[in-house]
Amino acid sequence: MKKLLSVLLAALLLLGAVPAVSAAGAPAPAIMLDAQRLSYAAADAEPVLSAAGRTMVPLAATVRAMFPQGATVSTVHDTATVQAGGVELVFQQGEDAMLRNGVSVPLEGGAPYLENGELMVPVRPLAEGLGLFVGWSSEGGSPTVTLYHNPGATDAERSAANFIFSLLGNPYAAGGYELDDAMSALFSSPNGGVLIDSLFQGAGQFAQLAAPYSFSMQGYEMAVLPTRFTAGAANICVTVDTAGKIAGIQLLPYGETVPAVMPEGVSESELNFTAADSKVFSGTMTKPDGEGKFPCVVLVHGSGMNDRDETAGPNKPFRDVAWGLAERGIAVYRYDKRTYLYPNESSLDETFDMEKETTLDAVDAVNMVAQLPYVDTENIVVLGHSQGGYKIPAIAEKADQADKFIIMSGPARSLPDLMVEQYTFLTTVNGVQTEQGKQMVAALKADIAKLTDDSVPDSEILPMLGARKYYWKQTLGYDPIEVSKSITEPVLVTQGERDYQVTMEDFALWKAAHADDANWNFLSYPKMNHMQADGEGPMNNLEYLVPHRVKEQLLDDYAAFIKG
């Protein structure tokens, strides 16, 4: 298993032990434990960097810091025994091997020695022997050794951490995970090592690990370890199946998770509404603290089975919008979508369409918030994202209580045609579409052709379109640009210039149709993607799996439009 990452392992710094002589003039290494710097008592020996570049630490003081409870270090003559977490390590002064649960483990050319009466040992075998992982960096010329307990908060994260630590060279992490059949076959194949090596090639030495995070996707748990190397950084995403087995690994752009903390001066409460067909919708009202009449925004989802936060991987853009606008003095209502709350009924309804899915429920939500005593009924705003933005013109026709509208990355074109564009983009690599991509687009176009084929029943489910023919056929008779021409209320259209799902072509169509209409406003953002967050470089779906927050400038612009 350890050979699978030969490119990395050849580059990893060996933090072993060479006796006695400290490197002349070398700065003392800093020892970090789970992101906190270890402090040693005045009576303790200090960590030192040996002449061979290996970090030596005082055994007893370091073990006490690693395991404040449940660890013991006993010394008899020149031999020290450590017991912690079900593991026993034995170090002997001058011996270049330690015993781990009775098995001899080389200390990589070094041996423990006494310093101020305390046994100094190499930090790497000590930490790894006790189940920790060791990182190293020398930014600013000052060496730092970082020790990590298994960092996962969930079973999937712990399994993923053991898997990655094992790949990166910790022999004692190997028993902490299990591979599924496909991954086992990959690892045992002649090309397995080459594939894994290529995944990390050029990364350099492991340096630092940030807090893991995880999210569910298509029945799997995606456990992500934000990892820094000396030659770059990446979020290592490990797929864990329902049996807890490792089912895949991929690299994502680097991004650390940001704790979700509701701003001060903002409060939230559960608030439900009942739709015209008697279905109950659960939702959240987010508002500024205090009394008064607040402008109120109703958020309308994009396509898919969205919850009230529009959760996508580790990100919750509707929650970000709600908190951000409430912090700016605006109430926001968001609710769970019909297809999220009632998926079976929606899928069995042979006349289910976007009117039922999006438009009518949004209108009922607007009518509900208009009855609330703290809402300024002269300033109720409907904000639609993606498909929600596409349906803003239809919502505006029916939402008599709404005073303003925001189209957030909303399509202005035929949605089936837009899907062809999206599939083509996602299956094109370096300007060349893959053969599998060509087949997928051909199948998609075949489904689209059925929308105008009278021989195909409306009840037929079109697999590439993901719904019945009836659902998609209704979109052919809806032209958002044409319907939008009857809107007399103020409208703001915003668009990310890096968005591949809804592009600047759609933004240009909205703008061209309303260039002479004083009530229409347009803003675009060069680095913003479809999730309303900034990014760098060419856009792809992996960016959505990295934690981010909705762009602050976008929230400022929304607040100015709403209050203006």
Side-chain angles (χ1 to χ4, degrees):
M1 181 74 69
K2 290 183 285 183
K3 294 181 180 178
L4 292 175
L5 284 181
S6 58
V7 173
L8 268 182
L9 299 182
L12 280 171
L13 178 68
L14 300 177
L15 298 171
V18 170
V21 182
S22 296
I31 309 295
M32 306 289 289
L33 177 64
D34 296 332
Q36 298 294 322
R37 181 163 182 165
L38 293 189
S39 296
Y40 290 88
D44 294 326
E46 289 285 331
V48 296
L49 194 65
S50 73
R54 306 178 193 278
T55 299
M56 308 294 289
V57 295
L59 175 62
T62 303
V63 170
R64 286 196 300 268
M66 290 178 181
F67 299 93
Q69 298 178 341
T72 62
V73 180
S74 57
T75 302
V76 178
H77 303 301
D78 59 354
T79 301
T81 301
V82 177
Q83 291 183 323
V87 175
E88 180 183 83
L89 303 181
V90 179
F91 296 90
Q92 186 172 359
Q93 181 181 348
E95 292 291 330
D96 59 2
M98 70 176 183
L99 295 178
R100 185 181 190 273
N101 292 340
V103 178
S104 179
V105 179
L107 293 180
E108 300 176 347
Y113 62 91
L114 286 176
E115 180 76 21
N116 294 336
E118 181 143 17
L119 195 65
M120 302 292 288
V121 300
V123 69
R124 182 184 179 203
L126 169 65
E128 289 185 346
L130 294 175
L132 281 72
F133 193 69
V134 180
W136 178 90
S137 67
S138 59
E139 293 183 12
S142 178
T144 298
V145 177
T146 307
L147 312 178
Y148 299 95
H149 288 99
N150 193 318
T154 68
D155 288 342
E157 290 167 8
R158 284 189 288 270
S159 180
N162 278 328
F163 174 53
I164 297 303
F165 289 174
S166 177
L167 292 182
L168 294 175
N170 184 340
Y172 308 113
Y177 65 90
E178 187 176 356
L179 302 177
D180 74 355
D181 291 343
M183 287 291 283
S184 293
L186 171 65
F187 272 58
S188 61
S189 72
N191 294 325
V194 175
L195 291 173
I196 298 298
D197 282 351
S198 66
L199 190 67
F200 290 96
Q201 191 166 13
Q205 302 163 339
F206 170 83
Q208 193 172 28
L209 178 71
Y213 63 91
S214 58
F215 54 91
S216 298
M217 179 172 287
Q218 298 178 344
Y220 291 91
E221 190 78 3
M222 314 298 285
V224 184
L225 284 71
T227 308
R228 291 190 181 276
F229 299 90
T230 54
N235 282 14
I236 305 175
C237 181
V238 178
T239 303
V240 182
D241 67 16
T242 55
K245 297 181 179 181
I246 304 297
I249 179 174
Q250 61 181 323
L251 296 189
L252 309 177
Y254 186 84
E256 297 180 20
T257 186
V258 179
V261 180
M262 190 162 56
E264 293 185 8
V266 171
S267 60
E268 288 191 328
S269 59
E270 281 287 312
L271 181 61
N272 300 342
F273 71 92
T274 302
D277 65 351
S278 300
K279 289 286 187 293
V280 176
F281 285 76
S282 49
T284 300
M285 175 61 77
T286 309
K287 60 183 284 291
D289 291 341
E291 303 297 326
K293 297 282 189 178
F294 302 107
C296 185
V297 179
V298 175
L299 303 182
V300 184
H301 327 72
S303 60
M305 299 167 62
N306 283 300
D307 64 12
R308 69 191 70 181
D309 293 328
E310 234 190 13
T311 301
N315 301 300
K316 297 177 180 291
F318 271 12
R319 182 202 61 192
D320 294 349
V321 171
W323 287 2
L325 292 183
E327 191 176 23
R328 292 162 172 82
I330 299 163
V332 180
Y333 183 65
R334 62 196 196 272
Y335 58 93
D336 294 322
K337 194 176 177 181
R338 179 176 290 265
T339 48
Y340 178 83
L341 291 172
Y342 305 103
N344 293 334
E345 292 181 41
S346 300
S347 63
L348 293 173
D349 182 356
E350 294 188 359
T351 61
F352 190 72
D353 59 11
M354 285 187 195
E355 192 79 353
K356 293 181 180 180
E357 180 187 26
T358 297
T359 306
L360 299 180
D361 296 337
V363 172
D364 288 336
V366 169
N367 291 338
M368 182 273 293
V369 301
Q371 307 303 314
L372 300 174
Y374 51 81
V375 168
D376 179 359
T377 57
E378 299 299 316
N379 200 355
I380 295 176
V381 184
V382 183
L383 185 157
H385 176 220
S386 197
Q387 180 177 299
Y390 171 80
K391 294 299 289 184
I392 282 292
I395 294 169
E397 285 187 321
K398 294 179 170 63
D400 296 334
Q401 303 273 16
D403 304 289
K404 295 176 182 176
F405 301 94
I406 297 175
I407 298 173
M408 184 168 80
S409 303
R413 295 173 282 161
S414 158
L415 292 188
D417 291 343
L418 201 64
M419 289 182 68
V420 172
E421 188 175 286
Q422 292 170 357
Y423 270 70
T424 301
F425 176 88
L426 290 174
T427 58
T428 298
V429 180
N430 297 325
V432 179
Q433 189 175 18
T434 65
E435 288 303 315
Q436 183 183 20
K438 292 176 182 178
Q439 294 171 13
M440 293 173 65
V441 170
L444 176 60
K445 288 181 177 179
D447 271 2
I448 293 172
K450 292 180 180 180
L451 301 180
T452 54
D453 185 347
D454 293 338
S455 69
V456 178
D458 286 352
S459 60
E460 181 174 325
I461 296 175
L462 305 178
M464 294 301 296
L465 289 170
R468 297 181 192 276
K469 174 186 174 181
Y470 182 89
Y471 175 92
W472 286 103
K473 190 172 75 170
Q474 304 312 302
T475 67
L476 302 181
Y478 174 68
D479 181 351
I481 293 291
E482 189 61 34
V483 179
S484 71
K485 292 177 180 177
S486 63
I487 300 178
T488 57
E489 296 83 4
V491 180
L492 172 62
V493 180
T494 61
Q495 178 65 43
E497 296 178 19
R498 291 180 65 252
D499 189 344
Y500 79 87
Q501 292 179 257
V502 179
T503 70
M504 290 298 289
E505 181 177 345
D506 296 276
F507 183 74
L509 289 171
W510 290 116
K511 197 168 185 178
H514 297 286
D516 298 326
D517 297 332
N519 61 316
W520 282 72
N521 307 271
F522 303 90
L523 293 170
S524 68
Y525 305 85
K527 295 183 178 182
M528 196 171 76
N529 62 28
H530 194 65
M531 302 302 287
Q532 316 307 299
D534 278 354
E536 299 288 344
M539 179 61 202
N540 61 63
N541 266 353
L542 296 181
E543 190 169 307
Y544 296 157
L545 303 183
V546 178
H548 59 239
R549 293 289 181 265
V550 166
K551 185 179 177 70
E552 289 290 326
Q553 183 60 56
L554 181 73
L555 298 174
D556 287 340
D557 293 338
Y558 283 170
F561 170 76
I562 292 164
K563 293 181 174 182

